């Protein structure tokens, strides 16, 4: 499956490829703006906060409606795992009831499930400075056969993709992704067609995003050995899109028809729809108020984005023609605090992790993972 590296585009010698051995209460949020792009957009309005749908807000299911946590015991019905540490990424296992979570600063990967204590399945040495650490997690595209898990990590020398099976030491897959003083975070997902998608930061060098000679600021598409995946626009190159600054999440719908990447650009937070071979220069949506976009979950009729400073999940509903059906609506505003890592369970649910131990106001059961149902579609969506 691997592409021939010698025939590919030169990448400045930076990379090496080691051989392989719910029902939610959705409510409106004020001010967001859309930028003109390939899809019809609905522009936002001025003022503080996020967008408003014009409908009265739904009743909030905030923490006052359930007892406060008692140590690691949490009484929210949606909570799946507790007493974690800065959940940067989530990967739900095929059974839909168990998942793996990544802790950014500790490098630990833990298995979580309801009514059980988290179990450490791997600890990866990481350098968490400059926004790095363990920031991406994805099951192998063939997980049910090989039981492999992929992670995006920062080391003292570089950013890289590694893989491991529970109980085994991690092995490097793609190394030499530039690291810098800032913007080292990256994200992983599968494209549902047998490949991994890797979003990389610009490592503090904005010019790197447009530089074809570096893997920084890019979306990469690789196979399980770290080589360029078959079908990439440029044979022998893992790069399928350029233009990222500080990506925080990447996600693909269950049918593989839509992929999205979130980015904290210098002046605003943005959401891109990924098109292989096309630059990431026109966002599908923008957040001038910068709520701290993080992980995302792609459904057949919506894309949901976790926000860190915004402490909510924001859903952009899709019409049948792929355009957005209004401004984002929010779920779980301030219910679980600062939200980050996300992963979907089919086309119905997502698991969401919190990062309250890193700059938030943690409760005794933080950090947590909770389940979020897919937002209900808006009646009358356009064809």
């Amino acid at each position: 499956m691997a592409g021939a590296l010698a025939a590919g585009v030169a990448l400045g010698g930076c990379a090496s490829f080691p051989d392989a051995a719910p029902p939610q209460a959705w409510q409106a949020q004020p001010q967001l703006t859309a930028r003109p792009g390939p899809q019809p957009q609905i522009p936002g309005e001025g003022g503080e906060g996020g967008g408003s749908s014009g409908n009265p807000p739904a009743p909030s299911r905030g923490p006052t409606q359930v007892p406060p946590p008692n140590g690691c015991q949490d009484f929210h019905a949606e909570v799946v795992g507790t007493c974690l540490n800065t959940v940067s990424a989530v990967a739900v296992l095929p059974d839909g009831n168990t998942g793996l979570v990544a802790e950014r600063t500790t490098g630990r990967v833990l298995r979580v499930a309801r009514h059980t204590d988290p179990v450490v399945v791997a600890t990866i040495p990481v350098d968490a400075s400059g926004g790095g650490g363990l920031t991406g997690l994805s099951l192998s595209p063939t997980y049910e056969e090989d039981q492999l898990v992929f992670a995006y990590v920062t080391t003292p020398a570089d950013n890289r993709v590694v893989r491991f099976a529970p109980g085994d030491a991690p092995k490097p897959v793609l190394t030499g992704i530039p690291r810098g003083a800032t913007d080292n975070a990256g994200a992983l997902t599968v494209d549902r067609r047998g490949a991994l998608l890797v979003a990389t930061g610009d490592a503090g060098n904005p010019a790197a995003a447009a530089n074809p000679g570096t893997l920084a600021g890019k979306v990469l598409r690789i196979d399980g050995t770290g080589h360029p995946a078959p079908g990439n626009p440029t044979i022998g190159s893992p790069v399928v899109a350029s233009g990222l600054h500080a990506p925080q999440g990447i996600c693909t719908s269950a049918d593989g028809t839509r992929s999205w990447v979130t980015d904290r650009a210098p002046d605003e937070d943005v959401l891109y729809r990924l098109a292989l071979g096309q630059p990431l220069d026109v966002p599908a949506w923008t957040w001038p108020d910068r709520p701290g976009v993080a992980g995302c979950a792609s459904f057949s009729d919506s894309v949901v984005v976790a926000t860190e400073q915004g402490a909510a999940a924001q859903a952009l509903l899709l019409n049948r023609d792929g355009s957005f059906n209004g401004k984002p609506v929010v779920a779980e505003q301030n219910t679980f605090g600062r939200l980050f890592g996300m992963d979907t369970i089919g086309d119905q649910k997502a698991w969401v992790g919190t990062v309250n131990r890193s700059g938030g106001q943690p409760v005794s059961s933080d950090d947590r993972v909770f389940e979020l149902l897919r937002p209900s579609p808006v009646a009358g969506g356009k064809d």
Side-chain angles (χ1 to χ4, degrees), residues 132-231:
L134 172 50
T135 60
L137 196 68
S138 177
L139 304 183
S140 163
T142 52
Y143 176 81
E144 292 186 88
E145 289 76 39
D146 56 34
Q147 301 294 295
L148 291 174
V149 182
F150 291 81
Y152 191 92
V153 301
T154 306
T155 76
D158 64 359
N159 291 296
R160 59 177 57 188
V161 179
V162 302
R163 70 181 187 189
F164 64 91
D168 290 343
K171 297 177 174 61
V173 171
L174 174 59
T175 62
I177 302 169
R179 65 151 296 164
T182 60
D183 306 325
N184 291 300
L188 295 174
T189 194
V190 293
D191 71 351
R192 317 291 183 187
R193 297 193 299 275
L196 284 167
L197 295 174
V198 186
T200 71
D202 66 15
N205 177 15
N211 181 354
T214 175
L215 296 180
K218 307 295 192 296
V219 176
L220 314 176
R221 185 170 178 268
I222 60 175
D223 64 18
T225 69
H227 292 78

Side-chain angles (χ1 to χ4, degrees), residues 1-382:
M1 294 176 59
L5 293 179
V9 175
L11 291 171
C14 293
S16 63
F17 303 87
D19 290 334
Q24 301 297 321
W26 295 92
Q27 66 184 37
Q29 183 181 3
Q31 193 246 333
L32 291 166
T33 52
R35 182 176 293 180
Q39 303 178 29
Q41 306 293 316
I42 299 178
E45 299 172 356
E48 297 291 325
S52 172
S53 66
N55 299 320
S60 173
R61 295 184 305 141
T64 57
Q65 295 182 302
V66 295
N70 178 16
C72 291
Q73 185 178 13
D74 196 292
F75 300 98
H76 279 282
E78 300 96 332
V79 169
V80 177
T82 63
C83 285
L84 302 162
N85 190 341
T86 314
V87 181
S88 53
V90 178
V92 182
L93 297 183
D95 64 10
N97 299 311
T98 311
L100 301 177
V101 300
E103 296 181 337
R104 183 181 74 84
T105 58
T106 69
R108 298 194 307 172
V109 178
L110 302 97
R111 183 184 296 111
V112 299
R114 292 182 187 273
H115 312 304
T116 63
D117 293 333
V119 176
V120 177
V121 297
T123 301
I124 306 171
V126 298
D127 181 347
S129 63
L134 172 50
T135 60
L137 196 68
S138 177
L139 304 183
S140 163
T142 52
Y143 176 81
E144 292 186 88
E145 289 76 39
D146 56 34
Q147 301 294 295
L148 291 174
V149 182
F150 291 81
Y152 191 92
V153 301
T154 306
T155 76
D158 64 359
N159 291 296
R160 59 177 57 188
V161 179
V162 302
R163 70 181 187 189
F164 64 91
D168 290 343
K171 297 177 174 61
V173 171
L174 174 59
T175 62
I177 302 169
R179 65 151 296 164
T182 60
D183 306 325
N184 291 300
L188 295 174
T189 194
V190 293
D191 71 351
R192 317 291 183 187
R193 297 193 299 275
L196 284 167
L197 295 174
V198 186
T200 71
D202 66 15
N205 177 15
N211 181 354
T214 175
L215 296 180
K218 307 295 192 296
V219 176
L220 314 176
R221 185 170 178 268
I222 60 175
D223 64 18
T225 69
H227 292 78
N232 284 0
T234 301
I235 296 174
S237 172
V239 177
V240 296
S242 303
L244 293 175
H245 173 61
Q248 307 296 317
I250 188 167
C251 55
T252 302
S253 58
D255 62 5
T257 59
R258 293 186 179 95
S259 294
W260 310 86
V261 58
T262 65
D263 193 17
R264 298 182 185 180
D267 299 322
E268 58 191 358
D269 287 354
V270 300
L271 173 71
Y272 294 109
R273 182 169 175 182
L274 178 64
L276 301 189
Q278 299 298 314
L280 300 169
D281 53 3
V282 180
W285 201 269
T286 66
W287 287 264
D289 59 325
R290 307 192 71 170
V293 294
C296 60
S298 180
F299 296 106
S300 58
D301 54 11
S302 60
V303 56
V304 182
V305 176
T307 62
E308 187 175 2
Q309 286 77 31
Q314 299 200 19
L316 284 155
L317 303 177
L318 292 165
N319 293 305
R320 285 183 287 271
D321 64 1
S323 63
F324 289 134
N325 192 334
K327 301 175 184 177
V329 290
V330 305
E332 305 296 5
Q333 180 79 56
N334 296 317
T335 302
F336 297 102
R338 298 154 72 98
L339 309 186
F340 211 95
M342 295 187 76
D343 191 28
T344 54
I345 305 175
D347 194 43
Q348 299 300 319
K349 303 175 184 179
W351 279 16
V352 189
T354 72
V355 289
N356 293 313
R357 290 199 188 186
S358 177
Q361 296 180 325
V363 297
S364 67
S365 59
D366 274 323
D367 274 308
R368 294 170 281 179
V369 174
F370 67 93
E371 190 172 85
L372 182 72
L373 292 182
R374 162 185 157 191
S376 300
V378 174
K382 295 183 291 184

